[in-house]
Amino acid sequence: MSGFVTVNGLRKTYGGDVWAVDDVSFEIEEGKLLVLLGPSGCGKTTTLRCIGGLEHAQGGEIIVDGNVVTSVSEGIFLQPEARGMGMVAQSYAIWPHMNVFENIAFPLRMQKESKQVIAERVKDALEVVRLAGLGDRNATDLSGGQQQRVALARAIVGRPKVLLFDEPLSNLDAKLREQMRYLLKEIQREINITAVYVTHDQAEAMGLGDELLVMNFGKIEQRGAAREIYCDPATRFVAEFIGVANMFEGTLVDTTSSEEGTVLVRLGEGNDGPVMKCLGASSTLDGRVAVLVRPEWFNLSADKPQQAENVFTGKVHTAHYLGERAEMLVDTNLGEVRITAGGDDAFDEGTHVHLTVDATKAIALPAQ
């Protein structure tokens, strides 16, 4: 593997037989932002801390810009301050007895930089994070979003090779978190720095990452762009973790008559359930399968469609008008189905409807 940041066979345990990080390998191109995404305890933060030198791995190696910073087999472990990295954590870690300038200048003072260098770099960092002119302000007088930008400025003032983000927006309210997400991505691209970002927030991950790496139980489930992971999940876990998923249990049926790249799945437990045509590679499927259909992939209509495939009937159980969209729960012979439609396409509760889904918008996955 080769990349600006390369992780090979990383393994970490906190004791016992359970690996927090279990043989994880990936690389990041220079100037790209990779998001590590997954539920609590999946190993994403441990991976980040190993990259930053805050944890000692029990296996594997980490290479940054061609330099080995961790190699368990060769006994190499560079201390965090020697790795050329900046970190922005959940807590702002703002020192209340220092003004904004001194908070940002702190790492440079630890490096014994000259007053001129400190003044120039802090000024540059303040401009990058859109806080120019606020250097004399008391840091604790700033808003939460501004304090987070001070923390970011402090992380970049030393001009690191890599930025590490450990759920930096989790303490902000929803609206501010969305604003900061756009700003962080803008700044990361502006200074063209390689970054690793940890979060459990799907919208944050999809909006920020050039690529997403989904983890579960210390392993990588899938890596790819946000659209790929959402529209073409590799596993059932990824399908259910990213976004909202309607999952239908079924059994793979004879695929000899199916078009290439599609399979037929009989839904339900018995032999009389409806058959759904969906995307899937028959070579990777066997017996019981699960079919993914996102809420917005269904089409609703009052009249029965002309097409013969993947047409189901139902009755709207609940409907919520949310302005630009409507969310409905529909009772069908598939069970309860969640539907998202345009706000003008909402159906009233109790309305009988027909559901259709194109075969290319239904994905068959291994049941487990």
Side-chain angles (χ1 to χ4, degrees):
M1 299 178 75
S2 62
F4 192 78
V5 176
T6 301
V7 176
N8 283 326
L10 188 67
R11 305 191 84 197
K12 170 68 181 176
T13 181
Y14 293 102
D17 299 328
V18 178
W19 291 94
V21 180
D22 191 1
D23 195 22
V24 165
S25 299
F26 59 87
E27 60 183 54
I28 313 170
E29 294 180 24
E30 187 172 8
K32 298 297 184 181
L33 190 154
L34 176 71
V35 175
L36 305 183
L37 176 67
S40 297
C42 72
K44 58 187 185 296
T45 296
T46 300
T47 300
L48 184 84
R49 289 175 62 84
C50 285
I51 294 172
L54 302 175
E55 298 282 358
H56 287 257
Q58 280 85 38
E61 66 176 3
I62 300 167
I63 304 168
V64 178
D65 193 19
N67 300 310
V68 178
V69 298
T70 293
S71 175
V72 176
S73 62
E74 297 180 17
I76 298 173
F77 182 85
L78 268 64
Q79 293 300 314
E81 61 272 16
R83 297 191 174 211
M85 298 184 183
M87 188 163 187
V88 184
Q90 283 181 322
S91 62
Y92 311 137
I94 298 299
W95 289 291
H97 63 287
M98 296 181 182
N99 63 19
V100 170
F101 182 97
E102 291 300 330
N103 264 278
I104 298 171
F106 184 79
L108 298 179
R109 296 202 188 284
M110 293 297 99
Q111 296 169 14
K112 311 293 186 185
E113 294 288 357
S114 69
K115 288 184 178 181
Q116 182 179 352
V117 168
I118 291 173
E120 290 176 354
R121 290 196 181 180
V122 172
K123 178 177 178 291
D124 290 344
L126 282 168
E127 289 177 353
V128 166
V129 300
R130 292 29 169 190
L131 291 177
L134 296 184
D136 294 332
R137 185 79 62 87
N138 188 325
T140 54
D141 289 341
L142 302 180
S143 67
Q146 288 175 321
Q147 289 187 33
Q148 191 58 276
R149 282 187 271 165
V150 171
L152 175 58
R154 188 172 56 207
I156 66 175
V157 74
R159 299 182 180 175
K161 295 179 179 179
V162 179
L163 266 181
L164 306 178
F165 295 95
D166 185 10
E167 303 202 45
L169 308 184
S170 60
N171 291 332
L172 304 177
D173 63 59
K175 186 174 182 179
L176 189 53
R177 191 161 59 240
E178 183 177 3
Q179 293 172 352
M180 281 297 297
R181 186 171 77 229
Y182 284 108
L183 181 60
L184 278 180
K185 185 60 179 177
E186 186 178 330
I187 290 171
Q188 184 264 333
R189 286 179 171 170
E190 185 178 304
I191 63 178
N192 193 36
I193 193 168
T194 308
V196 186
Y197 193 105
V198 162
T199 184
H200 64 273
D201 187 297
Q202 301 164 29
E204 200 171 290
M206 297 175 77
L208 274 170
D210 294 303
E211 282 194 298
L212 278 58
L213 193 153
V214 184
M215 296 184 68
N216 191 31
F217 293 117
K219 291 183 177 292
I220 297 172
E221 290 270 341
Q222 187 174 357
R223 177 181 179 173
R227 183 182 295 276
E228 175 188 351
I229 286 178
Y230 183 82
C231 295
D232 190 18
T235 67
R236 179 169 183 167
F237 170 81
V238 175
E240 294 183 313
F241 184 77
I242 302 293
V244 179
N246 291 300
M247 300 296 296
F248 306 108
E249 306 286 343
T251 305
L252 193 68
V253 299
D254 180 22
T255 59
T256 55
S257 60
S258 299
E259 300 171 11
E260 185 177 356
T262 66
V263 294
L264 299 177
V265 176
R266 185 173 298 281
L267 303 178
E269 296 288 342
N271 296 320
D272 56 352
V275 173
M276 183 180 285
K277 183 178 180 181
C278 36
L279 286 179
S282 56
S283 60
T284 63
L285 300 169
D286 184 31
R288 296 295 292 175
V289 298
V291 178
L292 163 70
V293 184
R294 301 287 186 196
E296 68 275 15
W297 294 352
F298 275 110
N299 292 313
L300 283 186
S301 62
D303 300 323
K304 186 174 182 179
Q306 296 299 312
Q307 71 180 75
E309 293 180 331
N310 297 351
V311 180
F312 310 96
T313 59
K315 182 180 179 181
V316 178
H317 180 68
T318 60
H320 299 287
Y321 176 77
L322 301 173
E324 82 283 359
R325 71 184 191 281
E327 294 183 354
M328 292 165 278
L329 291 178
V330 180
D331 293 327
T332 74
N333 55 344
L334 305 177
E336 190 176 71
V337 177
R338 184 168 177 174
I339 308 289
T340 300
D344 294 334
D345 299 323
F347 285 85
D348 293 333
E349 295 178 4
T351 304
H352 289 274
V353 292
H354 297 276
L355 291 72
T356 61
V357 59
D358 190 275
T360 62
K361 289 293 187 178
I363 302 171
L365 299 164
Q368 299 297 329

